[in-house]
Amino acid sequence: MDLPQVRLVLAEVGGRLALHMPDRYSYWHRILPLLLFGLKDEDKDVRCKATQLWEQVGRKYEEENMDQLKQEIDFDVPPSDYPPGEVRPGIGCRSLVQRSLYHILPGLLTDLDDWQASPRLHAAKLLAVLILNADSGVTQYAEKVLTALHLAAGDKEASIVKQVNECGHFLGCFLPPSVFLPLVLPRLGAGYHGERPLVVLAALVEGSSTALLQPCLPDLISALGEEDVALVFGEAHQEALLCVIRTLLNKCDFSENSFKMFYLLLFIASSSSVENATVAQEGLRELSRNCGHEEVQELYQKHTREVLDRLLETVGGWTEGSPSFLLLGGLMKLAGPALGHELEILTKILTACTTKGEDPFVCLHCLTQLRHLLLEESQPLAAGGQLEAWLPVLVSSEAHLCLNVLFQVT
């Protein structure tokens, strides 16, 4: 329906049926979509008319069912973090949608997978309206709705993905994390749905309240830290992951759960494109501020040893595409003086990387990074006062290349 005049008449027909049709109580699930479609229409006149009619329908339903709705009216408390910019529908509107969702959702969710973009977009818009009007009553349909959103989050049409984000935001306002996290976190593995669950998770977290989200933070970080979620190279995956991280950093306190987030951001900063790497480095600075540090170097000093310990466990047989090798390169590039306090374990890793039989690219890259560190005017490796003791070991692992490094340094 490309003409706004047609959509306006459709909303008016839906409104009249909902207000005056004698046996309308048997057909709410067929009547309501006609009216609710207009609430998110692009045309202002259609939107205003649909909103006006919907309020009238809600008030009339409330008046006709006052006895049944009395308890809900008396104890109606709006959510503390209601979606900004949205006006909460009345009890009558919410009750109508809650009672009709069971019949409306199956067909609507099928339309989200239609082969044409237009029906998919209209279905996504209607789903956002239904979630907003269903309020906390959407809880019993959470699994079905989230399954559909995971599918639609991979749509090629940006306008549909935008509506998916809005649906996720609304759901996050009405569903506690204890409800939506068990439904979303098992889907995060890259081999299962790619970045789509991360897109939905970011929207849910954005809508959720800090008070409810903070207690669930350890489980959430643990799921994000799994190898098939954290150590993935895809640009779209890393971009979606960064979106989740930024949202969490804005809402939660990481002072007691900072390492896994540090590890995750460091990997993206070490392995991604320039754009995502820049965002990840800004995320590291934000994580540092979140943890109460004045400088990001304090965060590196706090976690560099633990990262190096993990790398030491996996060292050997690295190639240029190994996540551990990329993490080492990122750490040598970004950690600065923090490395000077961990020269013993850094030396063990570099020695293992530059022995015979190791990948030549890995060996050369490690030694090149070491050269840059030794040539730095700020002398980051000397920060811990251990450089003189460990320099002979650093330059003895691969004689012909290490001598070249030593020659350029001296």
Side-chain angles (χ1 to χ4, degrees), residues 69-140:
L69 299 177
K70 186 177 187 307
Q71 187 174 0
E72 294 180 41
I73 295 171
D74 292 342
F75 297 97
D76 184 36
V77 179
S80 57
D81 291 330
Y82 200 76
E86 300 291 342
V87 178
R88 194 182 191 210
I91 288 284
C93 295
R94 283 181 272 144
S95 297
L96 265 174
V97 170
Q98 290 168 9
R99 285 161 171 73
S100 305
L101 266 181
Y102 177 81
H103 299 286
I104 297 176
L105 276 180
L108 176 64
L109 300 184
T110 300
D111 285 345
L112 273 176
D113 195 27
D114 195 90
W115 67 278
Q116 294 185 78
S118 180
R120 296 200 305 273
L121 178 59
H122 286 303
K125 287 183 176 182
L126 179 57
L127 181 59
V129 172
L130 289 172
I131 293 172
L132 189 64
N133 280 271
D135 210 274
S136 58
V138 76
T139 302
Q140 59 184 312

Side-chain angles (χ1 to χ4, degrees), residues 104-242:
I104 297 176
L105 276 180
L108 176 64
L109 300 184
T110 300
D111 285 345
L112 273 176
D113 195 27
D114 195 90
W115 67 278
Q116 294 185 78
S118 180
R120 296 200 305 273
L121 178 59
H122 286 303
K125 287 183 176 182
L126 179 57
L127 181 59
V129 172
L130 289 172
I131 293 172
L132 189 64
N133 280 271
D135 210 274
S136 58
V138 76
T139 302
Q140 59 184 312
Y141 305 102
E143 186 171 5
K144 288 183 178 180
V145 173
L146 285 172
T147 299
L149 292 183
H150 282 124
L151 176 67
D155 204 289
K156 296 180 180 179
E157 298 291 331
S159 57
I160 296 175
V161 177
K162 181 180 178 181
Q163 290 302 316
V164 169
N165 285 329
E166 188 171 55
C167 289
H169 189 184
F170 292 164
L171 274 177
C173 292
F174 304 131
L175 300 180
S178 57
V179 172
F180 68 71
L181 288 180
L183 300 174
V184 177
L185 296 187
R187 299 172 178 265
L188 293 184
Y192 189 46
H193 282 301
E195 69 276 4
R196 287 177 288 171
L198 290 169
V199 173
V200 175
L201 178 60
L204 288 165
V205 170
E206 178 66 32
S208 187
S209 71
T210 298
L212 295 176
L213 199 59
Q214 186 69 42
C216 300
L217 190 60
D219 292 338
L220 187 50
I221 294 176
S222 179
L224 293 174
E226 293 292 330
E227 286 192 9
D228 59 349
V229 180
L231 306 182
V232 176
F233 294 102
E235 290 295 316
H237 181 94
Q238 291 187 344
E239 185 178 344
L241 191 54
L242 285 170

Side-chain angles (χ1 to χ4, degrees), residues 243-294:
C243 187
V244 175
I245 294 170
R246 287 198 305 269
T247 306
L248 285 172
L249 286 172
N250 287 333
K251 284 186 166 284
C252 298
D253 177 13
F254 281 83
S255 56
E256 298 181 3
N257 300 279
S258 59
F259 173 72
K260 287 186 177 180
M261 194 59 67
F262 173 82
Y263 190 83
L264 200 158
L265 285 167
L266 180 63
F267 176 75
I268 298 177
S270 307
S271 65
S272 188
S273 64
V274 174
E275 184 177 351
N276 280 352
T278 302
V279 174
Q281 290 181 46
E282 177 55 37
L284 285 166
R285 289 189 285 271
E286 180 60 32
L287 177 62
S288 177
R289 291 189 291 268
N290 186 291
C291 295
H293 304 309
E294 293 184 2

